[in-house]
Amino acid sequence: MWVYPRPQFWFEQLVVNGYQDHPWREQFRVSRDTFEHICGLVGPELVFGYETKIRNRPIVLEKRVAVALWRLATGNSYRTVGLTFGISRCTAMNVKDEFCTALLRRANDFMKFLKTEATTRQTIQEFQDIRRFPQVVGALDGSHIPIRPLKEDSNEYVNRKSFHSIVLQGVAGANGKFLHVSTGYGGSIAMLACYE
């Protein structure tokens, strides 16, 4: 036996067929409609790229997106994510990595930084209308996402508040949509936005 059988019930039955929008949002940090939009966005990249398989059968797109979002939303270990979705630890890691690579390839479809003088002036005016703060083109903020300590280079992930984390930094426009996101650096690194 080269594959350990794992229960497949949770995602296939409870999530796909039974979860309403509120529990869905609570578990995956996105609405069900947004989840379906993400599937449509990364689907072409995941279908034509490397496909993670169990017993030579591909894992369906929706489950792969759910595994990746679950890992990113909860920070659970790959072992826990694998047990939750009925896949191996290694498969959970591969699925998340494939998803992030696909999402990065499609970033220009949903994140656009200001490129023309006209859009820059419009954005400045939108921020001015909201808070009367002049010459703003983006709101920058960051957050530490807690993680479990790693076996190697653990100290690089200890932040100024003395817990292990990775750094997330984002820039949003006046409408609240992200213009740029950067994440994955160890918590000990202080990030500062740098745009060309």
Side-chain angles (χ1 to χ4, degrees), residues 20-129:
Q20 300 302 316
D21 194 54
H22 176 71
W24 185 276
R25 183 184 300 272
E26 192 174 291
Q27 298 300 325
F28 294 103
R29 306 293 204 270
V30 296
S31 70
R32 204 166 178 137
D33 288 341
T34 301
F35 177 84
E36 290 169 9
H37 176 74
I38 293 169
C39 288
L41 186 70
V42 299
E45 296 288 336
L46 292 176
V47 169
F48 296 113
Y50 170 75
E51 277 197 23
T52 302
K53 299 178 180 183
I54 299 177
R55 293 185 183 169
N56 292 325
R57 288 180 298 169
I59 301 172
V60 297
L61 172 66
E62 291 78 9
K63 185 171 183 175
R64 292 161 71 192
V65 171
V67 167
L69 289 180
W70 187 278
R71 164 69 176 145
L72 295 169
T74 65
N76 286 354
S77 70
Y78 289 112
R79 182 179 313 283
T80 302
V81 174
L83 288 171
T84 301
F85 285 90
I87 58 178
S88 72
R89 175 189 58 81
C90 187
T91 299
M93 184 174 62
N94 289 340
V95 165
K96 191 274 299 176
D97 289 346
E98 291 167 13
F99 171 81
C100 289
T101 300
L103 199 59
L104 185 59
R105 284 190 193 124
R106 301 302 298 265
N108 289 335
D109 294 343
F110 59 92
M111 289 190 343
K112 299 181 183 352
F113 207 70
L114 309 173
K115 296 191 190 272
T116 67
E117 187 174 335
T119 56
T120 302
R121 284 184 188 183
Q122 179 184 349
T123 301
I124 289 172
Q125 187 59 50
E126 289 170 357
F127 272 107
Q128 177 82 22
D129 293 344

